[in-house]
């Protein structure tokens, strides 16, 4: 009986050690911050879409209706922070990967002046991958903004242009009557697109070993 008790105690100890070892070796998920204005803010009211974006990642959401890239938001009172202001507020908490879908409230010329400031601020705070989504070009100003985005990518090799504008163009059923803001289906398709893009670049799942 005594030998059996000793054996059981030993077995429990081995199991506990194994469990602790597995927990110790389990790597944390990669960290991603997503910046968006009222378009990407649909993630806040479509839970299934938000869950898709969070799949395989630890996500910080910076979604601000009426938000702009580097200048104050378009609301008269209680202006939302710009992406630039949010980046500075987050500091090193921003994480190594960012996804940006912002620009529908921006003047393209102001956007052109601000994108350099935002990218430099991101890089100084440890961002290694900036995935910048193009706008759905329903108006000429959005086509100009998309040209600004593509131009910036030539100067910042760690920035990747993600052609959401072209990808979504033929899918009118994903959008409200303005052709810009998502309905629930559009929010889910946007989330799937973001997740697939991150996965294709190896930016989802456990953090790589250093």
């Amino acid at each position: 009986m005594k030998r059996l008790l000793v054996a059981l105690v030993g077995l429990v100890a081995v199991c506990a050690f194994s469990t602790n070892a597995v927990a110790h070796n389990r790597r944390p998920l990669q960290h991603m911050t997503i910046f968006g204005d009222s378009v990407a803010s649909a993630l806040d009211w479509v839970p299934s879409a938000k869950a898709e974006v969070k799949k395989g990642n630890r996500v910080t959401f910076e979604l601000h209706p009426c938000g702009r890239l580097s200048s104050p938001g378009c609301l008269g009172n209680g202006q939302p922070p710009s992406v630039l202001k949010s980046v500075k507020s987050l500091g090193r908490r921003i994480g190594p990967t960012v996804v940006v879908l912002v620009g529908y409230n921006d003047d393209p010329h102001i956007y052109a002046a601000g994108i350099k400031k935002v990218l430099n601020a991101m890089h100084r705070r440890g961002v290694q991958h900036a995935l910048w989504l193009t706008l759905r070009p329903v108006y000429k100003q959005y086509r100009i903004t998309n040209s600004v985005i593509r131009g910036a990518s030539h100067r910042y090799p760690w920035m990747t242009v993600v052609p959401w504008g072209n990808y979504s163009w033929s899918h009118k059923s994903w959008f409200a009557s303005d052709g810009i803001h998502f309905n629930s289906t559009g929010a889910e398709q946007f989330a799937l697109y973001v997740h697939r893009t991150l996965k294709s670049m190896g930016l989802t799942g456990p953090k790589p070993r250093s």
Side-chain angles (χ1 to χ4, degrees), residues 13 17 36-37 39 50 52 55 72 75 77 81 115 123 129 138 144 148 172 189 203 207-208:
F17 176 81
D37 50 29
V39 174
K50 197 166 193 175
E52 184 67 30
K55 189 184 295 181
L75 292 175
N77 295 314
I115 194 167
H123 206 47
H129 305 281
V138 295
I144 297 172
V148 170
K172 292 182 180 180
Q189 291 298 322
L203 299 175
K207 184 178 180 181

Side-chain angles (χ1 to χ4, degrees), residues 67-127:
R68 290 174 173 151
L69 184 64
S70 61
S71 56
C74 57
L75 292 175
N77 295 314
Q79 288 178 322
S82 65
V83 173
L84 181 59
K85 186 174 182 178
S86 294
V87 169
K88 291 179 178 179
S89 296
L90 286 168
R92 288 281 171 174
R93 292 179 292 118
I94 192 172
T97 300
V98 299
V99 173
V100 182
L101 179 59
V102 171
Y104 291 104
N105 306 305
D106 284 86
D107 178 287
H109 302 291
I110 297 175
Y111 199 96
I115 194 167
K116 177 175 67 174
K117 296 177 184 176
V118 171
L119 284 164
N120 286 336
M122 287 177 171
H123 206 47
R124 283 196 297 269
R125 289 159 178 83
V127 173

Side-chain angles (χ1 to χ4, degrees), residues 1 4 15 27 40 45 77 79 95 109 112-113 122 132 138 142 146 152 154 157 164 178 188-189 194 198-200:
M1 187 63 155
L4 178 60
C15 290
R27 288 170 288 158
W45 54 266
N77 295 314
Q79 288 178 322
H109 302 291
M122 287 177 171
W132 213 288
V138 295
Y142 299 152
N146 286 341
H154 299 310
W164 168 251
D178 63 5
E188 290 172 347
Q189 291 298 322
V194 169
L198 289 165
K199 190 173 182 179
S200 70

Side-chain angles (χ1 to χ4, degrees), residues 8-57:
L8 286 172
V9 170
L11 180 61
V12 169
V14 169
C15 290
F17 176 81
S18 299
T19 301
N20 289 335
V22 170
H24 180 73
N25 290 327
R26 189 178 295 135
R27 288 170 288 158
L29 294 178
Q30 297 187 62
H31 184 196
M32 181 266 286
T33 300
I34 181 167
F35 296 91
D37 50 29
S38 59
V39 174
S41 291
L43 296 174
D44 281 336
W45 54 266
V46 183
S48 57
K50 197 166 193 175
E52 184 67 30
V53 170
K54 293 167 70 175
K55 189 184 295 181
N57 286 89

Side-chain angles (χ1 to χ4, degrees), residues 69 100-103 111-112 115 119 131-135 142-156 159-162:
L69 184 64
V100 182
L101 179 59
V102 171
Y111 199 96
I115 194 167
L119 284 164
L131 282 60
W132 213 288
L133 278 66
T134 57
L135 310 181
Y142 299 152
R143 293 196 291 272
I144 297 172
T145 298
N146 286 341
S147 295
V148 170
I149 293 169
R150 286 189 288 268
S153 70
H154 299 310
R155 300 189 297 275
Y156 296 87
M159 172 189 175
T160 300
V161 177
V162 182

